[in-house]
Amino acid sequence: NAGVTQTPKFQVLKTGQSMTLQCAQDMNHEYMSWYRQDPGMGLRLIHYSVGAGITDQGEVPNGYNVSRSTTEDFPLRLLSAAPSQTSVYFCASKRGEGEQYFGPGTRLTVT
Amino acid sequence: GESVGLHLPTLSVQEGDNSIINCAYSNSASDYFIWYKQESGKGPQFIIDIRSNMDKRQGQRVTVLLNKTVKHLSLQIAATQPGDSAVYFCAERRNSGNTPLVFGKGTRLSVIA
């Protein structure tokens, strides 16, 4: 298994640009989530999904959209990037009450 | 360079000594707790978990202690090694079932060789 994969690894955007951060898992996990990590702030939940076709907001959802059309994929969309969205983004997945696995992260800079 | 982890509490430990990393949680209804380790430039990795019906759980070189009375969680690492240097996060699940984990801000462990 590849586990949780994320692309791209690094990205630089200009303010106002849009982009999609990709996340995929091959463990047949029904639960997937997106976090952002900023210095001194720990990991903050953006959006999560408990299964295909179901998404919900986390702690900091503003400025981000998600969809879950398949079990494997959970893309995170930034419709109009802002400098405040400069961060490291982590996708994670788990099955039921089991261990949550994290991807390697995407480092995003918005100028 | 690594920007994650700036302004975090830091614990410096001599190689071979035991480390204790502490975490306070806020929700008395939380029923599941996890410790993660995050090395520079990588995603968090699972270390050990504990459910609220337990007060202690041991793994390889690690022990997690849970004190529900004071809502306190600790991670003990025995015979700390340079490879243990990382940022450590505790996380809690605030309701039963398939609900999101809530993470603490993290502690940086620095092992002095």
Side-chain angles (χ1 to χ4, degrees):
Chain A
N1 287 349
V4 181
T5 57
Q6 292 183 238
T7 55
K9 200 166 176 60
F10 300 95
Q11 182 71 51
V12 178
L13 290 177
K14 288 185 169 29
T15 297
Q17 285 185 315
S18 63
M19 79 157 295
T20 299
L21 279 64
Q22 302 291 344
C23 174
Q25 52 89 13
D26 60 357
M27 298 173 282
N28 201 29
H29 288 171
E30 75 275 11
Y31 182 96
M32 296 185 75
S33 54
W34 276 102
Y35 292 84
R36 61 176 288 172
Q37 187 173 36
D38 302 295
M41 300 293 289
L43 288 148
R44 292 185 293 168
L45 183 68
I46 305 171
H47 286 285
Y48 67 100
S49 168
V50 299
I54 305 168
T55 63
D56 211 340
Q57 294 182 347
E59 181 187 355
V60 288
N62 292 341
Y64 308 95
N65 283 348
V66 291
S67 59
R68 186 91 181 275
S69 55
T70 67
T71 299
E72 294 78 20
D73 301 295
F74 191 43
L76 178 73
R77 279 183 284 276
L78 285 71
L79 298 178
S80 179
S84 61
Q85 294 179 304
T86 293
S87 188
V88 182
Y89 291 85
F90 289 101
C91 179
S93 74
K94 69 183 179 81
R95 180 197 302 279
E97 299 187 357
E99 174 187 343
Q100 182 159 271
Y101 295 85
F102 283 84
T106 295
R107 185 177 293 274
L108 175 68
T109 302
V110 183
T111 61
Chain B
E2 178 60 66
S3 62
V4 169
L6 289 177
H7 316 302
L8 290 177
T10 298
L11 175 66
S12 295
V13 175
Q14 202 74 34
E15 182 180 359
D17 286 353
N18 297 335
S19 303
I20 301 176
I21 301 171
N22 296 305
C23 178
Y25 65 94
S26 56
N27 192 329
S28 56
S30 292
D31 67 344
Y32 180 63
F33 306 87
I34 305 180
W35 280 100
Y36 281 91
K37 172 185 180 183
Q38 186 176 28
E39 296 174 283
S40 179
K42 296 184 179 179
Q45 292 178 283
F46 173 90
I47 303 173
I48 192 167
D49 60 0
I50 188 167
R51 299 194 184 276
S52 58
N53 60 352
M54 304 172 70
D55 53 21
K56 180 178 179 179
R57 190 157 189 235
Q58 287 183 293
Q60 189 177 20
R61 278 201 310 119
V62 294
T63 300
V64 55
L65 299 177
L66 175 63
N67 185 330
K68 293 182 285 293
T69 303
V70 295
K71 295 199 282 287
H72 183 267
L73 193 67
S74 69
L75 177 70
Q76 300 178 359
I77 304 173
T80 313
Q81 302 168 358
D84 295 327
S85 293
V87 177
Y88 290 80
F89 292 95
C90 65
E92 63 181 301
R93 186 177 63 204
R94 291 183 172 171
N95 296 291
S96 298
N98 206 8
T99 53
L101 293 174
V102 177
F103 284 80
K105 290 184 171 37
T107 297
R108 178 180 296 283
L109 176 65
S110 180
V111 181
I112 305 162

